[in-house]
Each structure stands twice: as structure tokens, then as C-alpha cells.
Amino acid sequence: MIGTDEITTIVASSLRLTAPLAFAACGEYLAERAGTQNISVEGMMLGGAFGSVAVASTTGSATTGLIAGAIVGLVVGWVHGNLSHRIQINTFVVGLVLNALVLGLTSFLIAISEFNSNQVAQLSIPGLREIPILGPLFEQRWPMYLLLLLVPLTWWLVERSRWGLNLRAIADNPQAADVTGLKVKKLRRQALLYCGVLSGLGGAYLATAEVGSFNMNMTAGRGFIVIAAVIFGAWRLKGTLIGCLVFGFADALRLALPALGFELNSQLLVAAPYLMALLAMMLFASKNREPRALGKPFVRGIT
Amino acid sequence: MTGKRSLPNIAELMRPSDRAVQVSLITVAAVAVAVLASMFLVAATGGSPGDAAEALYTGSIADTAAWSETLKAATPLLLVALGACISNRAGVFNIGQEGQLLLGAGVAAYVALHLALPGFLVMILSLLAGALAGGLWSGASAVMNYTRNVNIVVSTLLMSFLAIQLVSFAVTVPWLLQAPRASADSIASSESAQLPPEVRIPGFGEYPALEIGGGLIVSIVLTIVLGVLLARSRWGFRLNMLGLNPLAARHAGVRASWLGGSALALSGAFAGLAGAVILSGQVFRLQPALSNNFGWDGLLVALIARSRPIAAVPVALLFGALRSGSSFLASTGVPNYLVDIVQALLVLAFVVPPVLARVRSRGRAEAAAPPSEPVPAATTEPEKVTA
């Protein structure tokens, strides 16, 4: 029998599992709206997770760790941008190599170092947390509330700011945008930096708020789920966040079902989000909602 | 042909460069930087670079036993790389080899364990079944791409995760591939039963002297065949054309969906074959960890080899040597993940220089003939624009 308590637990863990995805998804969303398909988001998250734990353990402050995670993500984004949008190596090759490099580096470093576990503080909103079922919404590690700032900020940046207008222009027709004087490659690098900061934060959230320590390959494909979420959301922020929630919920369900006494195969449940992402892609991808120049390298003068 | 600039990047990487000397000089320097950076990392974290290098040497090429290990590791890497050569040439970028490889191994294991035929025939059939499984798996991505416009990179990646979960699932259910329990009270293992000796790929030579697996011989033959086909055949020419300039290819009557799709399926088939070779040539039982990053690393091999099958041979040997050497690293106190870092840096060291040389010469050309004055930026008010 599923009671209110179980539902409350599932809601809480869905949120907890969605948050790191949502951070990174905001970044990836912006990068894709600028026309870059960034598969190194996995590496950004993993690097952010490692950086945050390393710094949080040495300084003793989880908040500093969170900032450090964002900086590591920024560095990965900077390297990616320079390789794929300055000297124009195929963006998937760059993403692949960066993922491998970050995975190797973090695994190497964690094998020879020891970190204290360190978690950011929980912030409860008195009163609201007493509400049944939805109560856990108001009792979260505080970086969760950072999302409440970053989501509208991302939306505003893409949909309302001049910068976002330029980003969308270079995503749909970089050649035309170039003729009007927009610096296509520079703008795409900027978008990747934003993506790096947010993905790094996502990884840092995973490490410092959710787990409290760093494990080898702890992101375990979450970065790819984030890419799937952007596609799932048909390149709209609202849809992207819903995609993250769906994936977070599936993950929470996988963790909760055995406790509820359901015999379900955990491998098949792990596979469910990927299957959903594929189905979503088959439903949405053909509707031509993706930026027209998505993933294509920019070459001046050729349309 | 239109100007060089219209060529996609990935295709440019594969062409032998005109600035061969300049590129090879930068490449040598970049490789040196990559190796130095890795050694610096070892030193900075308190290890001894000399010891690490010696361990890598001991484990990879110091004696015939080490050489056997290197060749063993190089075989699946070469097979995966061959497949990646095909798809990269066609301009379809398959990055799901890890899953295709594992699925190939899974299906090969099923055939090898469940088919009651003479041993040699079962071995051949299980290798073919592995290749077929990998090909169908990546072929599904091709179908999704050409019918529903699903991005190949993303779908091959997601399919990869699906395959990994499928194999993990298969080895936990007795009616599929889980090994039967030894006794009633022993714990059920999550791996398959061992392949009987008669369905394993035979090896040549004797361990610990030099041992050469049958899989290596097959992959060398495939390398030569594929190298000739890509360089000389009509199929290879069309594949190149599709990758270099899809528009021109279409005008020349190439059906992109058919040619590109079959290239993707073929690359998956090679990955699946690699999985079957690992299974019946080295590991002998299906384990969820059997793929062991061979898929990812094989793709990196193809990138370094710039999608030329013959060039993939030495690169696969180098990566195989790093792999077999890594098992000796632990004794020096340096984590064997160092090898992953070295590999990633090596890819950068080989991929960056040609592009860099091209960009620099293009920069010079643009400086000599500056583009016309840009039109003033549009002055649309952002507030009025909606999605």
C-alpha cells in the first residue's frame, strides 16, 4: 500500500535527483540555442563534481566548493570552445575527448587523494514544509533554490536579452548573422562558457549537496541524459525542465520501488529514461524545432 | 569541386594533408607535450615518472608475454576502429561502439552457449551473430535518423546505454544467459557460463611465448580488404564523396539514406564483431564489464588514424600497448587511470595539428584579402521579439 509518506519520499527524491540535471540542462539548453551541440556536458558535470569536493574538503566550506565546481565547468567549457569554435575541430570529437580526459583525470586524482565528506546546509522554509506531500519542496539543500534564480535568468537571457537574440540568430543562420557583424564563433564560445558554469554547478550540486563525496565516474551518464532532456523538451526551456523532471522521477522510482515491495528489474528501469529519450526524439526531432545550424561548424561565406 | 572551405571538418581530418611536413612537425611536438604533461602529472602527484614509464614498458613490449597481451588488447581496438573508419568517411559519426560491442558479445554468447552444432561452426556463427547484432543496433539509429530525423550522435549514444542495460539484464535471468548455480545454496552470479573450449577462437603460438589470437589475423585481413575497398572501389569513392560534400554526392546520384545508413550499420557490425572476438578469444564468458571501454578507445584509435584503416594498425598497437602496460602501473603507486589521460592527450596531439595548420593558412589568406565591410548590425529591439 502506498501511503502519503511514500509519495512524500518519492517527491523529495525526484526533486533531489532532478536538480543536478536541471542545472546542467539550463546550460546545455542555452548552448544548443546558440547552435552548438555540446556532448562534453558530461565532462563538465564530472569535473564540477570533483572540483567542488576537492575544494570543499580542503577549505571546509561546501559553498566555496560549489563555486569551485562552477569554475572547473567553466574551464572545460573554455577548452571546448577554443577547440571547437576557434580552431574548429569537429565538436563531437572535442566533446568525446574532453569527456575521456576529465574521466581519466578525476579517476586518477581521486585514486591518490582522500577527501572529507562535506555537505552544504539544508535550508528549510518554516511553515511551508509542514504541507503534506509537497512539504519536502521547502526543505532542501540551499543550492536547490539557486535553480529558482537560474531558470528565469536562462529564460531571460535566451528569449529577452540582446545577447540571446544574437545567440538564436547564429543558431539558425550563422552566415547571415555573420554578415550583419555578429561574431559567430565568439558568441558560441560565450554560450559554451555559460553552459560550463551551469553544468559544473550541476555536478557540484550532485557531489556536495546530494552525495557529499566524490566517486569515480559519479555522473555516470547524467550529462547525456541532460542532452536528451533538451531534445525531449524540443529546444524550449519549459520542455527541457519537464524532461529533467521525468528523468529524475524515473530515477527516484527505481530507488523507491524495491522499498515499496515491488519486484522490478532494476536494469530495465535504468534503461527506461534512455528509451524515453529515444522515443521523445523520434516524436519531436522531425518537427524541425531544433536550431537549423545545430551542430554544424560555422564557415564564413558558405551557406 | 568547390573550395576547400566548404568541406566539413571531420572529412578534412581524413585527407592526407598538403602541408605534410609542417603538420608532422607540429604533431611530433604535440605528442611530446602530451607525454610530458602526463609525466608532469605523475611527478606533481608524488609519483615517479621514470618508474611509471618503466612499468608501462615492462607490461607492454618488454618480452614476448607482454607482446601477447598487447596484441590481445589491440585486436578489438583495431576492429572497432575499422568500423569507425567506414562511418566517419561517410560523414555519419557513430559514438555508440561501446554498446554495440557489448551487445555483439551478448548475442555471440547466446549463440555459442545455446547452439548444438559442431564446435567450429558454432564459433563462426557466433562471430557472425555478434557482428549482425552490432550492425542491427547501429542500423536502428540509421533508421531513426533517415525516417524521423533523429540526430545520429545522440541516438547511437543513447542506444549504447540501452545495450549496456540489456546485457546486464541478460546475465541476471537464468533463461537468457545467467550461468547456472554450482549448487542449490550457492549465490547466483551475474555472468554467463563459460564458453566450452571447442567454440573458442583458436590462438597460434604458445603463451608465455608469443601468442597470436585468431581474432588478430581476422582483423588484419579485414584491415587490408577495407583499406583497398576504401581507396580503390566505387563504394569507397562514393562513401568519401558523401562525407566530403553531401550535396555534390546527392547530385551525383548517391542515396544518402542508403549509403550513409549502411555505413553506420557496418560500423556497428565491426563493433559487434569486436565484442564477439573479446568473448570467444579472451574472456570466454559474458560479463557486463566485458566491454571495458574498448568501444570508446577504438573510436579514439580511428580518430588518430584519420579514418584510414592501414594507419589504424600502428595506433591500435600503441593503444593496446598502453592498455597492457597499465596493469603494471599499480605496482609503482601510480593509478592506472594515467593511461586514460595519456590516450585522451594523444588524441588531441594528433587531431589538433592538421586543423591548426589549416586554420593558420586560412587566417593568412583572409588577412591578405579582407572580407567586405560588414553590414551594420540589425537594430531590432529585443523586447519585441518572441520565440
Side-chain angles (χ1 to χ4, degrees), chain A residues 64-76:
Chain A
T64 324
L66 215 62
I67 296 166
I71 291 172
V72 174
L74 181 80
V75 170
V76 179

Side-chain angles (χ1 to χ4, degrees), chain A:
Chain A
M1 195 59 208
I2 304 176
T4 327
D5 280 0
E6 281 80 4
I7 295 178
T8 310
T9 315
I10 292 179
V11 168
S13 69
S14 303
L15 272 177
R16 212 165 37 78
L17 294 163
T18 301
L21 300 179
F23 276 110
C26 285
E28 179 70 12
Y29 160 79
L30 188 132
E32 294 218 2
R33 289 305 294 270
T36 67
Q37 197 149 43
N38 169 30
I39 65 167
S40 68
V41 57
E42 172 81 9
M44 292 170 174
M45 287 182 80
L46 191 60
F50 180 83
S52 68
V53 170
V55 170
S57 175
T58 42
T59 62
S61 151
T63 310
T64 324
L66 215 62
I67 296 166
I71 291 172
V72 174
L74 181 80
V75 170
V76 179
W78 181 81
V79 175
H80 186 121
N82 276 297
L83 289 177
S84 66
H85 294 302
R86 201 187 284 272
I87 66 171
Q88 293 201 302
I89 299 170
N90 181 295
T91 172
F92 299 121
V93 174
V94 174
L96 206 63
V97 175
L98 280 183
N99 285 343
L101 189 63
V102 173
L103 178 60
L105 264 175
T106 53
S107 304
F108 180 87
L109 291 174
I110 196 69
I112 52 170
S113 37
E114 255 183 59
F115 295 131
N116 310 318
S117 66
N118 220 319
Q119 250 180 324
V120 291
Q122 207 149 37
L123 184 74
S124 302
I125 302 176
L128 290 174
R129 66 159 188 247
E130 312 297 334
I131 302 171
I133 298 176
L134 293 181
L137 285 175
F138 305 104
E139 194 173 29
Q140 298 286 345
R141 307 268 165 202
W142 70 260
M144 176 82 89
Y145 303 107
L146 205 56
L147 263 179
L148 300 181
L149 289 175
L150 286 173
V151 169
L153 174 71
T154 307
W155 180 85
W156 183 83
L157 277 175
V158 172
E159 303 288 359
R160 288 291 180 270
S161 74
R162 179 172 290 267
W163 186 60
L165 180 67
N166 293 344
L167 289 187
R168 284 181 285 144
I170 60 167
D172 274 332
N173 195 338
Q175 279 76 24
D178 179 55
V179 173
T180 65
L182 292 182
K183 304 241 180 304
V184 176
K185 297 181 189 173
K186 191 173 170 189
L187 279 165
R188 285 190 173 166
R189 285 204 300 277
Q190 289 169 354
L192 276 172
L193 291 181
Y194 185 83
C195 177
V197 169
L198 262 66
S199 305
L201 264 180
Y205 180 89
L206 183 71
T208 55
E210 212 177 298
V211 182
S213 62
F214 184 86
N215 312 314
M216 219 165 272
N217 195 16
M218 74 180 302
T219 49
R222 279 185 180 77
F224 303 122
I225 287 279
V226 163
I227 300 171
V230 175
I231 297 164
F232 187 93
W235 292 272
R236 296 293 175 271
L237 188 56
K238 210 195 303 171
T240 301
L241 291 172
I242 291 173
C244 290
L245 258 176
V246 169
F247 295 132
F249 178 68
D251 221 10
L253 212 55
R254 178 178 61 87
L255 297 173
L257 282 177
L260 294 176
F262 286 91
E263 276 291 322
L264 258 168
N265 193 289
S266 84
Q267 280 90 19
L268 297 187
L269 258 175
V270 177
Y274 299 109
L275 200 61
M276 282 194 301
L278 277 169
L279 290 176
M281 275 161 57
M282 288 170 72
L283 286 175
F284 295 124
S286 58
K287 287 190 179 160
N288 286 326
R289 298 193 65 177
E290 84 260 29
R292 260 168 283 167
L294 183 66
K296 296 194 184 91
F298 168 66
V299 184
R300 178 172 274 166
I302 309 287
T303 46

Side-chain angles (χ1 to χ4, degrees), chain B:
Chain B
M1 282 299 278
T2 49
K4 260 187 193 168
R5 289 191 205 162
S6 66
L7 304 177
N9 271 327
I10 180 111
E12 282 235 10
L13 285 181
M14 292 162 207
R15 290 170 59 251
S17 173
D18 313 335
R19 314 168 198 88
V21 181
Q22 191 190 355
V23 169
S24 39
L25 279 178
I26 308 178
T27 305
V28 171
V31 170
V33 170
V35 172
L36 282 178
S38 319
M39 290 300 146
F40 174 77
L41 183 72
V42 172
T45 52
S48 155
D51 287 355
E54 200 188 330
L56 282 177
Y57 168 77
T58 313
S60 59
I61 50 175
D63 53 23
T64 48
W67 264 105
S68 302
E69 288 299 316
T70 295
L71 293 178
K72 211 186 261 181
T75 305
L77 291 175
L78 179 59
L79 281 170
V80 172
L82 291 180
C85 289
I86 301 174
S87 54
N88 287 359
R89 290 253 187 156
V92 283
F93 200 55
N94 175 12
I95 61 172
Q97 278 91 349
E98 187 80 358
Q100 291 147 16
L101 182 148
L102 195 58
L103 197 82
V107 172
Y110 190 84
V111 170
L113 291 169
H114 289 82
L115 210 62
L117 284 171
F120 186 73
L121 202 59
V122 172
M123 184 199 87
I124 301 286
L125 284 177
S126 85
L127 289 181
L128 289 178
L132 187 68
L136 287 177
W137 202 249
S138 62
S141 290
V143 171
M144 280 191 271
N145 179 60
Y146 294 111
T147 62
R148 303 291 304 165
N149 197 20
V150 174
N151 184 307
I152 287 181
V153 175
V154 180
S155 73
T156 49
L157 191 66
L158 294 178
M159 292 287 280
S160 198
F161 289 113
L162 277 187
I164 290 165
Q165 294 306 324
L166 262 180
V167 170
S168 306
F169 169 72
V171 292
T172 53
V173 284
W175 51 269
L176 259 175
L177 277 164
Q178 191 179 32
R181 296 184 204 194
S183 61
D185 48 76
S186 66
I187 304 158
S189 58
S190 48
E191 55 180 13
S192 80
Q194 212 162 25
L195 260 59
E198 61 271 18
V199 303
R200 297 177 186 177
I201 301 176
F204 303 93
E206 201 170 313
Y207 197 80
L210 193 61
E211 186 198 32
I212 294 171
L216 182 65
I217 294 166
V218 171
S219 46
I220 293 288
V221 171
L222 283 174
T223 306
I224 295 166
V225 170
L226 195 61
V228 171
L229 278 180
L230 283 179
R232 294 267 178 271
S233 76
R234 199 169 75 132
W235 172 71
F237 176 74
R238 290 175 151 225
L239 219 53
N240 273 331
M241 182 158 66
L242 181 64
L244 292 171
N245 194 334
L247 202 64
R250 209 168 68 208
H251 284 305
V254 169
R255 275 176 65 195
S257 56
W258 182 242
L259 192 68
S262 62
L264 188 60
L266 258 180
S267 75
F270 271 92
L273 179 64
V277 164
I278 298 174
L279 175 87
S280 71
Q282 301 170 18
V283 182
F284 309 127
R285 55 166 87 228
L286 182 66
Q287 297 157 335
L290 175 135
S291 57
N292 192 14
N293 280 344
F294 273 110
W296 294 113
D297 293 352
L299 182 54
L300 298 185
V301 169
L303 290 180
I304 291 186
R306 308 218 169 96
S307 299
R308 280 167 301 187
I310 309 293
V313 176
V315 184
L317 278 176
L318 173 67
F319 271 49
L322 282 172
R323 242 172 203 272
S324 62
S326 74
S327 55
F328 276 65
L329 266 182
S331 61
T332 64
V334 177
N336 58 5
Y337 301 101
L338 176 69
V339 165
D340 299 331
I341 302 169
V342 175
Q343 285 182 351
L345 289 178
L346 278 181
V347 178
L348 283 180
F350 278 97
V351 167
V352 171
V355 186
L356 206 57
R358 178 168 51 83
V359 168
R360 282 176 58 196
S361 67
R362 185 200 293 163
R364 258 180 252 125
E366 270 177 14
S372 53
E373 195 67 14
V375 180
T379 50
T380 323
E381 285 300 318
E383 284 73 19
K384 288 179 189 162
V385 179
T386 51

